[in-house]
Amino acid sequence: MTLDLAKVEATLLEAAEAAATRTLPLFRTPLAIDNKYTVGFDPVTEADRGAETAIRAVIARHFPDHAIIGEEWGSSGESPYTWIIDPVDGTRAFISGAPVWGTLIGFAHDGVAIAGIMSQPFIGETFLAVPGRATYRHGDITTPIRSSGQTELAPSRVFTTTPALFDTPELASKWHSVESATRLQRFGMDCYGYALLAAGHADLVIEPRLNTYDIAALVPIIREAGGAIACWDGSEPTAGGNVIAAATPELLEKALALVNAS
């Protein structure tokens, strides 16, 4: 099968725009919030469900034979090509009015994400990757992005959504090792932190227990910008797991050694 990458890119952009028509009218408005958990809190809103429905419709129109995995509506189809959707990554940020949530759409071939988009429509920013390039779009301006090139832990800027994710003694030890070895730590960034890493504004992102829809879209954005990303055991992160993203392969190797020694 010959893959039309220009069509993949156009579909990513169209699907993100369709999602924005469902998320933006609801952002910073009173919303009914459902909880997926009986114990704990995992919020979902009309924006999540509506955006995923809109994305799926775009994909089905252009690539009806491809598989889809979505956070809200599950899996459909069988194909070597899979679209992986998180319609609102950072729902907690969304319901709090903080514009660090994003729409994530990844495109994978044989289990490895090769293209993806992170769209933050309230700010009007889009981070997109297809094989051979990663770009940042804002308004009418499109520019290439590159990671910082950082290779050392000590001066690194680190993001994680919250240290509370590291909620066992083993996980807490790994976070404290990273925190102690690096210069600056920032929290609450959700998918936006990975995009900022790809654009050169951060050097490491570390998070445990990610699902495929949390990370698949971000994998090619980081790699095509010159960064590196893997699970803590060094394996492919497209399917999710405990993940580290780094500005360079050299920095990733040092971060992996650090967490695996903790």
Side-chain angles (χ1 to χ4, degrees):
M1 184 184 299
T2 300
L3 182 63
D4 185 344
L5 288 174
K7 186 178 178 182
V8 169
E9 181 175 8
T11 301
L12 287 168
L13 289 165
E14 182 182 342
E17 290 177 3
T21 67
R22 308 298 289 271
T23 56
L24 283 180
L26 297 173
F27 185 51
R28 295 183 177 172
T29 68
L31 272 177
I33 301 165
D34 297 327
N35 186 7
K36 296 179 184 178
Y37 291 168
T38 54
V39 178
F41 184 55
D42 186 14
V44 62
T45 73
E46 178 187 346
D48 301 77
R49 299 185 182 106
E52 184 170 322
T53 298
I55 293 166
R56 283 174 174 267
V58 172
I59 294 168
R61 187 162 61 250
H62 294 296
F63 293 99
D65 296 330
H66 288 186
I68 299 176
I69 299 172
E71 180 175 14
E72 305 308 329
W73 301 123
S75 301
S76 61
E78 292 186 10
S79 170
Y81 297 107
T82 305
W83 298 80
I84 304 168
I85 306 164
D86 192 341
V88 180
D89 182 84
T91 300
R92 290 172 176 81
F94 187 94
I95 64 177
S96 302
V100 292
W101 56 275
T103 292
L104 298 180
I105 310 168
F107 178 73
H109 178 238
D110 288 339
V112 177
I114 60 171
I117 193 167
M118 195 294 277
S119 169
Q120 211 313 307
F122 185 77
I123 300 174
E125 293 184 325
T126 299
F127 298 80
L128 183 144
V130 293
R133 58 187 166 88
T135 55
Y136 168 79
R137 297 167 182 246
H138 188 257
D140 296 330
I141 305 300
T142 300
T143 58
I145 53 173
R146 295 295 295 175
S147 61
S148 69
Q150 181 59 253
T151 61
E152 301 298 328
L153 287 165
S156 288
R157 302 156 292 177
V158 184
F159 289 153
T160 194
T161 296
T162 170
L165 293 172
F166 300 83
D167 58 359
T168 68
E170 180 183 4
L171 290 174
S173 175
K174 295 180 185 301
W175 168 250
H176 291 318
S177 294
V178 172
E179 185 178 35
S180 298
T182 55
R183 175 177 292 170
L184 173 69
Q185 302 80 38
R186 298 294 295 170
F187 310 122
M189 304 301 287
D190 295 299
C191 59
Y192 198 60
Y194 294 89
L196 290 177
L197 184 150
H201 306 299
D203 307 301
L204 286 169
V205 183
I206 177 169
E207 294 186 313
R209 304 191 190 106
L210 298 182
N211 290 297
T212 184
Y213 42 75
D214 297 318
I215 197 64
L218 300 162
V219 168
I221 295 172
I222 289 164
R223 287 176 173 162
E224 296 298 339
I229 183 169
C231 292
W232 297 357
D233 61 3
S235 63
E236 171 59 39
T238 294
N242 301 324
V243 172
I244 297 179
T248 58
E250 295 87 349
L251 184 60
L252 177 63
E253 183 178 349
K254 291 171 184 176
L256 289 172
L258 184 65
V259 298
N260 286 307
S262 303

